[in-house]
């Protein structure tokens, strides 16, 4: 019989990492060995004339494609970065798109999100991301993103200190064609890497002293966002980008953001455990919604249990207690002010770990 779990895993995989997982040592060899094992299970020859023949055929073809992608990602040194697309895949000959007499040269597919594909693009001499929605039904979410980003970072605004935590909106328009899909163009934070990648590289978590600066940057960014009456609504590992050398950070994906006291309209299903109860109860999102999710990111980074919010014992008790406050079910019991929280966290760190010191963080 055709193993249903393996078949499902292959057919639902959105990147080679979903099937081949974390690998070490001679990576090409490791992939080949895993591939050989799984290929045996789904090989069409073993299922000829059975009711599973078609599924086996489909799974086998997909598996072969995933292996090719794994190999090319290993060669490009991007294996393990789930959101980075395998080189050669989805690349196009550069296409020129002119919108309101502005010229965009769109080329490689760089990232895939929940709602959109993000392509490399050149506009007015700068490199940017060309984010095309996958389904017209989600045009409104991208429109929301463009509106929120423009509110936070108006095109005419001087670059302020706090703009470093977001990416600048470049343009937003509907791509005319068979369908009318929305495109958002934003500056590309090329040197930044999402926390989701940190978690792929370190599935058991990282030293809490490395996680603390990442968490602090989220708070600093959120302070600015909340001061502008915006709730991000999806503070999740793929949406927090960090710079491993200068310890900067950026928040991305404003599709789910709300202004004022709106409700969050959609979630990222893969990160269900990061969301607080008010999101599922369809109650208004507040600053404390983002702070809850930021604390869940800290739990994940420190190698804790995201579902229960439990930390490993290596994290000092006072720090665990600190995060518990943000992880309470009732939004009214949680802290609401990101900058205040940042300040009290700094004081707590001074008392528990001592003076601040730069710690190099290695992300291969
Ligand atoms: N401005 C950016 N610079 C660098 N990487 C980005 C940027 N925006 C998004 N990404 C990467 O692309 C992924 C998908 O983008 P996202 O905006 O979340 O799309 P979606 O709305 O479809 O989920 C992100 O998780 C992140 O890794
Ligand atoms: Mg996203």
């Amino acid at each position: 019989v055709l193993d249903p779990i393996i078949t499902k895993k292959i057919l639902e995989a959105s990147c080679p990492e979903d099937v081949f997982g974390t690998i070490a040592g001679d990576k090409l060899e490791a992939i080949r060995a895993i591939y050989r094992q799984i290929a045996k299970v789904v090989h069409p020859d073993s299922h000829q004339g059975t009711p599973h023949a078609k599924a086996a055929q489909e799974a086998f073809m997909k598996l072969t494609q995933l292996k090719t992608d794994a190999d090319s990602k290993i060669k490009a040194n991007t294996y393990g970065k789930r959101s980075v697309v395998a080189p050669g895949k989805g690349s196009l000959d550069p296409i020129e798109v002119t919108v309101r007499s502005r010229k965009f040269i769109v080329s490689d597919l760089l990232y895939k999100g929940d709602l959109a594909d993000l392509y490399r693009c050149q506009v007015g001499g700068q490199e940017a991301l060309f984010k095309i929605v996958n389904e017209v039904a989600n045009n409104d979410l991208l429109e929301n993103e463009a509106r929120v980003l423009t509110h936070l970072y108006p095109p005419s605004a001087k670059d302020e200190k706090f703009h470093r935590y977001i990416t600048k909106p470049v343009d937003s328009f509907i791509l005319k064609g068979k369908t009318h899909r929305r495109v958002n163009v934003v500056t590309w934070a090329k040197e930044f890497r999402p926390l989701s990648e940190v978690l792929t590289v370190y599935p058991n978590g990282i030293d809490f002293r490395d996680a603390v600066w990442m968490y602090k940057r989220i708070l600093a960014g959120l302070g600015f966002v909340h001061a502008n009456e915006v709730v991000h609504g999806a503070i999740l590992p793929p949406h927090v980008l960090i710079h491993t050398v200068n310890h900067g950070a950026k928040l991305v994906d404003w599709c789910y953001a709300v202004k004022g006291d709106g409700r969050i309209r959609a979630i990222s299903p893969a990160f269900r455990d990061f969301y607080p109860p008010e999101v599922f109860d369809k109650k208004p999102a507040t600053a404390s919604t983002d702070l809850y999710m930021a604390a869940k990111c800290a739990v994940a980074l420190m190698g804790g249990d995201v579902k229960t919010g439990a930390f490993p014992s290596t994290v000092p008790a006072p720090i665990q207690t600190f995060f518990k406050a943000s992880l309470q079910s009732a939004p009214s019991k949680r802290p609401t002010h990101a900058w205040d929280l940042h300040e009290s966290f700094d004081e707590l760190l001074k008392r528990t770990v001592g003076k601040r010191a730069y710690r190099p963080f290695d992300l291969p």
Side-chain angles (χ1 to χ4, degrees), residues 129 149 153 159-168 186-195 213-214 217-222 225 232 234-244 246-254:
L129 288 178
L149 262 183
Y153 207 155
D159 290 358
E160 302 275 0
K161 186 172 157 220
F162 290 110
H163 288 138
R164 74 174 79 156
Y165 294 109
I166 65 178
T167 56
K168 192 170 186 158
V186 294
T187 48
W188 181 17
K190 197 174 180 172
E191 311 288 320
F192 286 70
R193 323 252 300 261
L195 294 185
W213 69 256
M214 300 175 193
R217 294 308 172 275
I218 303 178
L219 293 184
L222 286 179
V225 172
H232 181 283
I235 298 297
L236 303 170
H239 298 154
V240 178
L241 312 184
I242 55 156
H243 194 293
T244 58
N246 67 26
H247 292 188
K250 285 188 193 294
L251 304 175
V252 297
D253 198 351
W254 298 84

Side-chain angles (χ1 to χ4, degrees), residues 13-91:
S14 58
C15 58
E17 288 84 350
D18 283 347
V19 165
F20 299 105
T22 310
I23 49 169
D26 181 342
K27 293 188 176 172
L28 288 170
E29 183 47 43
I31 292 287
R32 187 159 43 217
I34 302 170
Y35 171 78
R36 247 187 267 128
Q37 261 181 2
I38 307 179
K40 258 188 244 159
V41 180
V42 295
H43 203 284
D45 287 355
S46 334
H47 301 280
Q48 241 172 35
T50 76
H52 308 297
K54 206 169 152 250
Q57 175 74 25
E58 209 181 311
F60 184 70
M61 275 168 51
K62 171 104 182 258
L63 176 68
T64 308
Q65 180 61 51
L66 288 169
K67 174 173 186 296
T68 310
D69 292 348
D71 289 347
S72 50
K73 283 182 86 167
I74 291 168
K75 284 173 197 149
N77 224 348
T78 56
Y79 186 87
K81 301 177 189 174
R82 294 184 72 262
S83 58
V84 175
V85 177
K89 194 184 169 75
S91 301

Side-chain angles (χ1 to χ4, degrees), residues 215 219 317-326 341-342 344-345 348:
Y215 171 70
L219 293 184
I319 292 183
Q320 296 191 29
T321 309
F322 175 90
F323 285 112
K324 291 265 144 63
S326 293
L341 198 61
H342 187 284
S344 49
F345 191 50
L348 172 67

Side-chain angles (χ1 to χ4, degrees), residues 184-204:
N184 287 344
V185 183
V186 294
T187 48
W188 181 17
K190 197 174 180 172
E191 311 288 320
F192 286 70
R193 323 252 300 261
L195 294 185
S196 44
E197 223 175 281
V198 175
L199 296 172
T200 311
V201 176
Y202 301 105
N204 299 320

